[in-house]
């Protein structure tokens, strides 16, 4: 299951097409709320069913909403996992300016495809 939100959803949908060609299926959950309002009722059944989780965000990895989400999954639903949680985030660097720097800082489709393949192969 891929947990993501906002502008990342179309990127994951493109990656999902490529994963399909590799025989990898993934369910995408577009998170509408995070933090204390995280929709665990939607997330947990998919973790239970699939056993693997990827979290994709454009925030920096350290101290992000994805870090909190990952911690919540590990703390409360660890026994449902068949693999480590895969996190794909912006690099922990100062915010870059310009298109080339943005592509370096933020996860790109090729990064998402690679991470999904690695998680599927675990």
């Amino acid at each position: 299951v891929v947990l993501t939100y906002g502008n990342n959803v179309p990127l994951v949908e493109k990656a999902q097409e490529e994963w399909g060609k590799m025989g990898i299926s993934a369910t995408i959950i577009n998170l509408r709320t995070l933090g204390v309002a995280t929709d665990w009722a939607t997330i947990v059944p998919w973790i239970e069913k699939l056993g693997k989780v990827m979290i994709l965000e454009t925030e920096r990895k350290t101290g992000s909403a994805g870090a909190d989400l990952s911690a919540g999954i590990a703390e409360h639903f660890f026994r449902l996992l068949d693999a480590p949680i895969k996190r794909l985030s912006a690099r922990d660097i100062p915010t870059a300016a310009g298109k080339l720097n943005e592509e370096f800082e933020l996860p790109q489709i090729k990064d998402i495809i690679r991470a999904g393949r690695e998680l599927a192969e675990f």
Side-chain angles (χ1 to χ4, degrees):
V1 64
V2 180
L3 307 177
T4 194
Y5 52 90
N7 293 337
N8 296 317
V9 174
L11 293 176
V12 177
E13 289 171 342
K14 288 180 185 175
Q16 189 177 37
E17 292 174 18
E18 293 302 314
W19 291 331
K21 295 174 187 175
M22 299 175 200
I24 300 168
S25 63
T27 297
I28 302 168
I29 297 178
N30 182 1
L31 300 169
R32 308 285 185 187
T33 58
L34 292 166
V36 295
T38 299
D39 184 6
W40 294 111
T42 298
I43 297 169
V44 173
W46 285 104
I47 295 173
E48 190 170 28
K49 180 177 180 181
L50 302 174
K52 296 180 181 180
V53 177
M54 179 192 306
I55 299 171
L56 172 65
E57 61 185 341
T58 53
E59 293 180 67
R60 290 185 187 99
K61 199 170 203 173
T62 303
S64 68
D68 188 55
L69 186 60
S70 179
I73 293 167
E75 183 176 346
H76 300 289
F77 309 108
F78 179 78
R79 289 193 170 105
L80 302 177
L81 295 173
D82 296 330
I85 298 166
K86 188 75 155 176
R87 289 182 52 213
L88 200 54
S89 306
R91 296 175 188 255
D92 281 330
I93 59 173
T95 302
K99 184 69 174 160
L100 290 177
N101 291 330
E102 181 180 295
E103 290 177 6
F104 174 75
E105 180 182 3
L106 300 176
Q108 302 298 306
I109 292 174
K110 64 180 170 54
D111 303 316
I112 301 166
I113 294 169
R114 177 189 40 77
R117 188 179 66 246
E118 289 171 358
L119 186 58
E121 291 172 352
F122 187 87

